[in-house]
Amino acid sequence: MPSKILCLFDVDGTLTKPVNDIEPQFEDFLQNKIKPLSVLGIVGGSDFKKISKQMGGEDMIERYRYVFCENGLVFFKDGKAGDQQTIQKHMGEDKLQIFINFVLGYLSKVVLPVKRGTFIEFRTGMLNISPIGRSCSQEERDAFEIYDKKYQVRATMIETIKKEFPNFGFTYSIGGQISFDVFPTGWNKTYCLQHLENEGFDEIHFFGDKTELGGNDYEIFNDPRTIGHKVTSPDDTRKQLEELFNI
């Protein structure tokens, strides 16, 4: 094995079941078995509050050398926060409101088995859009995921928005069960790699589950700066780590 390896993990579907917390035994495995062999890092599209909850608390920034929230627009190294970029600074308020108003108008016409609240979540570097609403229950979330696979609610909505705003410079990425992310082109998970370019790693292994075209792990999984590992669950992540490090 090369002397300096970084294992960089997606969160939902990779380290945790979707919107669940990491299992204590898996966290112990990462800290006690993998950390002695590799530097550990996390990259997720969610904000710090959500990721830290899933990863066992805010002290995750001490347990993982790199924590990239919102694809790296908010990041921590060795427990210390780095500089931040924001979508409103990049896009401007006028363009953002035009976009948000169109999305809300579109959603007002979509009929689903159920609708709840929080259809647009404003994050530091992106908008997270959920046709069903992020305040749905876990049961409703699971049901929507099945419904969406059949009727392609999110994919159809993305295509409509793309046609309406062809020159806004946005990228659209489906991740998780109920929503999709909208962010300036280039602000996908590869954004975090700029913070790693001068860190001297021999290999950066990325583990993610949404690696298909349109998934929010696709770009970083296929980036030449990483070695991509497609996983199907936290158990599969553990299995692939055991194989990688001959544990």
Side-chain angles (χ1 to χ4, degrees), residues 10 15 27 29 43 56 64 68 94 118 133 148 151 154 184 193 198 206 216 228 231 235-236 241 247:
D10 166 54
L15 294 182
E27 174 68 15
F29 169 78
V43 56
Y64 293 81
F68 299 110
D94 290 345
T118 313
D148 185 56
Y151 293 105
R154 288 181 289 178
L193 297 178
N198 297 317
F206 171 75
N216 62 0
V231 302
D235 288 342
D236 187 38
L241 285 168
I247 297 174

Side-chain angles (χ1 to χ4, degrees), residues 1-237:
M1 282 286 179
S3 59
K4 200 169 184 186
I5 299 172
L6 169 64
C7 285
L8 186 60
F9 302 96
D10 166 54
V11 181
D12 268 4
T14 301
L15 294 182
T16 75
K17 295 178 181 178
V19 200
N20 278 254
D21 299 344
I22 190 168
E23 295 289 341
Q25 61 267 31
F26 189 26
E27 174 68 15
D28 289 342
F29 169 78
L30 292 171
Q31 297 299 323
N32 297 320
K33 297 294 186 180
I34 303 303
K35 195 171 185 177
L37 304 173
S38 167
V39 174
L40 301 181
I42 298 168
V43 56
S46 296
D47 61 21
F48 176 75
K49 181 179 180 181
K50 286 189 176 66
I51 292 178
S52 62
K53 179 187 180 301
Q54 289 183 264
M55 294 304 300
E58 294 185 1
D59 68 336
M60 69 172 182
I61 62 175
E62 306 291 343
R63 290 181 277 117
Y64 293 81
R65 183 179 297 178
Y66 303 96
V67 176
F68 299 110
C69 307
E70 305 192 42
N71 293 347
L73 294 161
V74 176
F75 76 97
F76 301 84
K77 177 186 175 184
D78 294 325
K80 297 179 181 179
D83 294 332
Q84 296 186 14
Q85 174 62 287
T86 68
I87 190 171
Q88 60 265 40
K89 283 196 295 187
H90 180 77
M91 298 299 298
E93 187 63 34
D94 290 345
K95 290 179 74 174
L96 274 179
Q97 286 204 30
I98 291 170
F99 183 86
I100 289 169
N101 288 342
F102 177 83
V103 169
L104 290 172
Y106 180 97
L107 287 172
S108 72
K109 300 178 180 67
V110 173
V111 178
L112 300 173
V114 298
K115 272 188 177 179
R116 297 299 177 250
T118 313
F119 301 101
I120 300 179
E121 185 174 82
F122 194 90
R123 299 177 181 173
T124 302
M126 68 179 69
L127 302 175
N128 180 266
I129 298 172
S130 175
I132 185 177
R134 295 194 65 87
S135 60
C136 61
S137 67
Q138 185 62 52
E139 183 180 358
E140 291 164 341
R141 174 185 288 268
D142 295 340
F144 176 81
E145 182 179 28
I146 296 169
Y147 184 89
D148 185 56
K149 285 179 180 178
K150 182 176 181 180
Y151 293 105
Q152 297 292 301
V153 177
R154 288 181 289 178
T156 300
M157 185 174 180
I158 287 171
E159 289 307 310
T160 301
I161 296 173
K162 282 182 177 179
K163 291 177 183 177
E164 183 70 17
F165 301 102
N167 301 314
F168 262 40
F170 276 148
T171 293
Y172 306 83
S173 179
I174 294 174
Q177 295 177 289
I178 62 168
S179 64
F180 62 92
D181 296 330
V182 182
F183 48 86
T185 299
W187 286 21
N188 53 55
K189 286 181 180 174
T190 63
Y191 188 93
C192 77
L193 297 178
Q194 65 184 286
H195 302 303
L196 300 170
E197 288 176 349
N198 297 317
E199 298 294 282
F201 290 109
D202 296 319
E203 293 181 356
I204 298 174
H205 291 260
F206 171 75
F207 296 80
D209 66 318
K210 301 291 186 188
T211 60
E212 69 283 353
L213 183 63
N216 62 0
D217 297 324
Y218 174 80
E219 291 85 2
I220 191 169
F221 176 80
N222 289 285
D223 193 283
R225 292 169 290 183
T226 69
I227 299 170
H229 301 263
K230 178 175 177 57
V231 302
T232 58
S233 66
D235 288 342
D236 187 38
T237 303

